[in-house]
Amino acid sequence: AQSVTQLGSHVSVSEGALVLLRCNYSSSVPPYLFWYVQYPNQGLQLLLKYTSAATLVKGINGFEAEFKKSETSFHLTKPSAHMSDAAEYFCAVSDPRVPGGYNKLIFGAGTRLAVHP
Amino acid sequence: DGGITQSPKYLFRKEGQNVTLSCEQNLNHDAMYWYRQDPGQGLRLIYYSQIVNDFQKGDIAEGYSVSREKKESFPLTVTSAQKNPTAFYLCATSASGASNQPQHFGDGTRLSIL
């Protein structure tokens, strides 16, 4: 069965510093991968997705993620953190082999990002 | 303005009461989903529907029920059988049920026990 692990439930960075949020998946074949962001008391917003095209994926708000099959990872990065990036981030996977194509997303537990001045 | 509308934003349930959470979309998406979010646990799937008049149980369907009579609407009822209903409930849609389609989320309903 597929699973997603987000290392670090809380990450704290200084404004202007590199943001690195880790996501590892467990699957026998490369899955489809997604990163979402959630601000307090709101729904999830799609940041970016990997669906077997380019391994380096650029998303909204300056975020990007790189799919590394050998490491079964899809880490999210941003070169320079902004105060507005403070939120909770979720990595999710879906299985491309599911018959009938039902899009069941498996979510990680989330990483809360704090940005301090 | 296109999107997913969940209502109400906050809901309180009394002992033994059923409550219904509304989810409406005007994205013309075929698939709709309900998730439950608890602190530190990510999202867990309650029910999903890939087409009108059809829906399937997710991972934690006990104590919940849904209907899909219209493409635009996928209401969730939290029944009195759900003994721990306090959570943040999120509705999502996707263009189809295909696994490469991202899901889009509403702003959620926070349910609490009185």
Side-chain angles (χ1 to χ4, degrees):
Chain A
Q2 287 197 335
S3 65
V4 180
T5 302
Q6 291 185 240
L7 292 175
S9 59
H10 291 81
V11 170
S12 182
V13 300
S14 299
E15 191 173 18
L18 172 72
V19 175
L20 171 61
L21 304 180
R22 300 178 186 273
C23 173
N24 288 86
Y25 65 89
S26 172
S27 174
S28 58
V29 298
Y32 298 130
L33 292 149
F34 307 84
W35 273 102
Y36 287 87
V37 60
Q38 184 180 34
Y39 297 99
N41 293 313
Q42 293 186 23
L44 278 65
Q45 180 183 4
L46 180 69
L47 278 176
L48 49 80
K49 62 179 181 179
Y50 168 75
T51 55
S52 73
T55 56
L56 181 62
V57 181
K58 294 189 183 297
I60 62 172
N61 302 340
F63 284 94
E64 63 181 37
E66 186 172 9
F67 172 71
K68 292 187 176 180
K69 183 179 176 181
S70 60
E71 299 177 7
T72 61
S73 69
F74 190 56
H75 302 331
L76 182 70
T77 60
K78 182 174 181 178
S80 177
H82 192 272
M83 298 295 286
S84 61
D85 295 326
E88 189 152 23
Y89 293 79
F90 292 93
C91 182
V93 300
S94 66
D95 190 338
R97 300 168 298 172
V98 173
Y102 159 54
N103 182 12
K104 179 174 181 177
L105 281 184
I106 307 296
F107 286 87
T111 297
R112 187 168 298 278
L113 175 67
V115 182
H116 51 86
Chain B
D1 193 21
I4 302 164
T5 301
Q6 289 189 243
S7 62
K9 192 167 181 65
Y10 299 95
L11 186 59
F12 297 91
R13 196 190 88 169
K14 296 179 181 178
E15 197 75 31
Q17 185 182 44
N18 294 352
V19 292
T20 297
L21 285 60
S22 171
C23 179
E24 302 279 332
Q25 57 109 350
N26 61 6
L27 300 171
N28 200 33
H29 284 178
D30 285 327
M32 298 186 74
Y33 313 82
W34 275 106
Y35 291 92
R36 170 179 172 139
Q37 185 177 25
D38 295 281
Q41 293 194 39
L43 277 69
R44 292 182 290 168
L45 182 66
I46 305 172
Y47 268 98
Y48 65 96
S49 168
Q50 295 192 76
I51 196 168
V52 174
N53 292 323
D54 185 56
F55 49 82
Q56 305 296 327
K57 292 182 179 180
D59 301 317
I60 55 164
E62 185 174 351
Y64 301 96
S65 66
V66 294
S67 63
R68 186 87 187 273
E69 297 176 0
K70 298 186 302 181
K71 186 175 185 177
E72 302 80 18
S73 179
F74 192 41
L76 173 73
T77 296
V78 184
T79 75
S80 57
Q82 172 50 245
K83 297 306 180 187
N84 183 24
T86 297
F88 192 49
Y89 291 87
L90 288 162
C91 176
T93 72
S94 60
S96 73
S99 52
N100 64 345
Q101 291 294 314
Q103 293 182 14
H104 305 270
F105 288 80
D107 279 340
T109 292
R110 189 166 298 280
L111 176 61
S112 302
I113 295 293
L114 279 180

